[in-house]
Amino acid sequence: MAQNTLPTVQTGRTYTREEALALDASDPLHHLRSEFIIPTKGDLTCATLSRKDHPNTSKDEACIYLCGNSLGLQPNRTADRIAAHLGAWATKGVSGHFKDHEDSKLPAFLHIDDVAAQRMAPLVGASAGEVAIMETLSANLHLMMASFYRPTDAKYKILLEGKAFPSDHYAVESQIRHHGLKPEDAMILIEPADQTAATTATSQILSMIEKHAPDAALIVLPGVQYYTGQYFDIPTITAYAHSHGIAIGWDLAHAVGNVELHLHEWEVDFAVWCSYKYLNCGPGAIAGLFVHEKHGQVNEDETSSGAVEYRPRLSGWWGGDKATRFQMGNKFVPIPGAAGFQVGNPCALAICPLLASLEIFELTSMSAIRAKSIMLTNYLDELLRRTGSEDSPMGKAEMYRIITPAKPAERGAQLSILLRPGLLEAVMMDLEKQGVVVDERKPDVVRVAPAPLYNTFSDVWEFVDIFKRACAKAAKGSATSAQNGEVSSAFAGKSDKGWSQIK
């Protein structure tokens, strides 16, 4: 339909601010930016929360926020949904668990997690019964491994990406120790075949799976790698793991709300994610998990024995049958599906920001979001790779490299930019002064992630212009100038920050 037609990237690009503005004007998702609170440059520097205390009105210009891969911006709806929940608690007390209100878009406390799961399911390509909203990502990863990591004498290894987010590494290592095994024997790190490369080829992952298949019990991988922004081939890797009889789980912290997912169709065994990045639910927001329906079946014996068969797990009362939950019996019968893996009562207050955010996602589709994201990140990539004339801020000097895969199908919104050694601190300070919000990964990487729900082509253009000038300024003031030969050698041939340095 016409409203889903995205701005066309034309050849003969002028790379001007006016061109960026024209792309924004033809963007069918541009109106969604108004759904978010964009911090102003004054907000970023003011020592108080009150905007009336800002030093001057000239700083009321919106900042350039390209950090949705770390913490998404707050939707305008969030405060209203939280206020509605607090109002229900204030006026109804415990009866708020069961009462709906005509003037609130929130369900009763008892059902709020179920409603959130139903609305979350389309974003991950799942049925509502395959999704649960609960806990935090790390806690959910532990709960999933408690069920899916069942080591035996023959099959006991867990395959893990070599540069996994530290919490994933800690979780896997602790699960191995919990079973009385040694991480040096049971934890296999998947790393690039070429240690000078920053990303891991799918072929290398498949090779490692084949090599360790005889004694591998589980595989845990990221959907999108947090450091490099690499988008892994989830369906291919999942199918290959299953062909070798190995269960596989995915950490989708940087994938949910960022790329299109079809977890049920891809037959992923389990997945976990947080909600504070591309889902825009606030710091430490409640997380989610997916369990494929084949693992969530509950079979009750209709004979007098009344035996119940279900996948082993760590159980808690919120995962038990709703019909009997408040009878306070001691026989655990799990809810079929992912909800049966719940442990404690989820925080209704914490679910309110998620519901507010999902309302915005429902105004469009993940296919439209992904399409715009590809355009935004491609535009960022093109501008960063464009050196320009010799008298431009960059000149001919090569001050950075993009270590994220160049193919759009192999990355999400994020680009990771490897700076020439010694530039990071000065560049980040300059960006901060200019009201640009990105994040860094020391020693030399800047991560930039234009979020399609609220970022614009103009944001991207302004960032690149400021960033290139900041790089040129930092290089000029650096003691290690290009004249001594050491700086330029950092980028001779392949990048010197390959896998061995990233580790």
Side-chain angles (χ1 to χ4, degrees), residues 77-88:
R77 302 166 186 243
T78 300
D80 290 339
R81 300 300 174 266
I82 290 175
H85 172 75
L86 294 177

Side-chain angles (χ1 to χ4, degrees), residues 41-355:
K41 294 180 179 180
D43 290 334
L44 298 179
T45 58
C46 190
T48 66
L49 294 177
S50 175
R51 286 183 169 177
K52 66 182 178 62
D53 295 328
H54 290 179
N56 57 67
T57 55
S58 66
K59 292 192 175 183
D60 286 340
E61 179 185 355
C63 75
I64 301 171
Y65 193 92
L66 297 168
C67 206
N69 59 323
S70 186
L71 180 67
L73 291 179
Q74 182 183 138
N76 286 307
R77 302 166 186 243
T78 300
D80 290 339
R81 300 300 174 266
I82 290 175
H85 172 75
L86 294 177
W89 176 25
T91 60
K92 295 298 188 293
V94 71
S95 62
H97 280 86
F98 312 101
K99 291 184 179 295
D100 292 319
H101 298 87
E102 294 179 358
D103 59 348
S104 173
K105 293 188 176 182
L106 298 176
F109 308 159
L110 180 63
H111 306 298
I112 194 168
D113 57 313
D114 292 334
V115 172
Q118 292 167 8
R119 296 170 72 174
M120 183 75 232
L123 268 67
V124 297
S127 67
E130 293 175 310
V131 174
I133 303 302
M134 55 187 278
E135 308 293 344
T136 63
L137 187 156
S138 294
N140 287 338
L141 181 56
H142 274 294
L143 290 170
M144 290 294 94
M145 286 194 289
S147 180
F148 285 87
Y149 181 49
R150 317 288 293 177
T152 65
D153 290 342
K155 297 178 75 67
Y156 59 92
K157 292 180 179 178
I158 299 179
L159 275 64
L160 178 70
E161 188 228 350
K163 190 59 176 75
F165 192 77
S167 191
D168 288 8
H169 191 106
Y170 303 154
V172 168
E173 183 173 336
S174 64
Q175 286 283 334
I176 289 170
R177 293 185 187 278
H178 181 71
H179 285 278
L181 301 172
K182 295 180 179 180
E184 55 267 32
D185 298 327
M187 185 163 62
I188 305 300
L189 301 182
I190 301 176
E191 300 180 344
D194 180 358
Q195 289 290 298
T196 65
T199 57
T200 307
T202 299
S203 60
Q204 171 66 3
I205 297 172
L206 302 186
S207 175
M208 289 291 287
I209 291 173
E210 184 172 7
K211 177 180 178 181
H212 294 279
D215 43 19
L218 180 65
I219 302 169
V220 177
L221 293 173
V224 174
Q225 214 279 341
Y226 83 97
Y227 188 93
T228 65
Q230 179 183 4
Y231 178 22
F232 283 24
D233 189 343
I234 299 175
T236 296
I237 297 168
T238 298
Y240 200 75
H242 289 167
S243 73
H244 288 77
I246 310 169
I248 184 168
W250 293 89
D251 174 348
L252 302 179
H254 286 263
V256 171
N258 179 12
V259 296
E260 287 190 86
L261 299 167
H262 304 281
L263 301 185
H264 176 83
E265 178 185 330
W266 296 339
E267 296 191 342
V268 166
D269 293 300
F270 72 85
V272 295
W273 59 87
C274 59
S275 302
Y276 51 82
K277 302 180 187 297
Y278 298 100
L279 293 184
N280 312 302
C281 298
I286 196 165
L289 62 78
F290 164 91
V291 179
H292 197 279
E293 65 178 8
K294 63 187 175 185
H295 300 302
Q297 297 177 4
V298 178
N299 300 310
E300 295 189 60
D301 192 336
E302 297 181 359
T303 66
S304 58
S305 68
V308 181
E309 294 183 355
Y310 54 89
R311 185 176 188 86
R313 67 198 67 188
L314 296 180
S315 301
W317 86 303
W318 212 256
D321 183 7
K322 262 191 173 183
T324 60
R325 180 181 291 163
F326 290 96
Q327 294 177 12
M328 302 302 174
N330 289 327
K331 180 182 178 181
F332 179 73
V333 179
I335 301 170
F341 288 82
Q342 294 177 106
V343 180
N345 186 349
C347 176
L349 177 60
I351 294 176
C352 293
L354 175 60
L355 290 176

Side-chain angles (χ1 to χ4, degrees), residues 13-23 379 383 386 461:
R13 181 79 58 80
T14 62
Y15 299 104
T16 61
R17 179 185 284 107
E18 290 71 25
E19 180 183 61
L21 290 169
L23 289 170
Y379 188 57
L383 289 173
R386 182 172 177 267
W461 192 94

Side-chain angles (χ1 to χ4, degrees), residues 337-374:
F341 288 82
Q342 294 177 106
V343 180
N345 186 349
C347 176
L349 177 60
I351 294 176
C352 293
L354 175 60
L355 290 176
S357 177
L358 291 175
E359 289 177 22
I360 300 173
F361 278 91
E362 289 167 356
L363 297 175
T364 180
S365 66
M366 274 309 304
S367 60
I369 291 170
R370 175 62 171 154
K372 179 183 174 181
S373 179
I374 289 173

Side-chain angles (χ1 to χ4, degrees), residues 367-438:
S367 60
I369 291 170
R370 175 62 171 154
K372 179 183 174 181
S373 179
I374 289 173
M375 286 197 63
L376 270 177
T377 302
N378 283 354
Y379 188 57
L380 173 62
D381 188 297
E382 289 175 18
L383 289 173
L384 286 169
R385 294 181 191 276
R386 182 172 177 267
T387 303
S389 62
E390 290 187 38
D391 60 351
S392 73
M394 288 297 293
K396 287 188 174 180
E398 188 172 28
M399 301 184 203
Y400 56 79
R401 283 187 184 274
I402 298 170
I403 61 173
T404 306
K407 295 180 180 178
E410 297 176 4
R411 66 189 183 196
Q414 173 183 320
L415 290 186
S416 296
I417 308 169
L418 173 65
L419 298 181
R420 203 164 70 190
L423 298 185
L424 181 65
E425 184 175 357
V427 168
M428 290 300 292
M429 288 179 63
D430 207 346
L431 293 177
E432 183 177 350
K433 289 178 182 178
Q434 298 290 328
V436 175
V437 183
V438 292

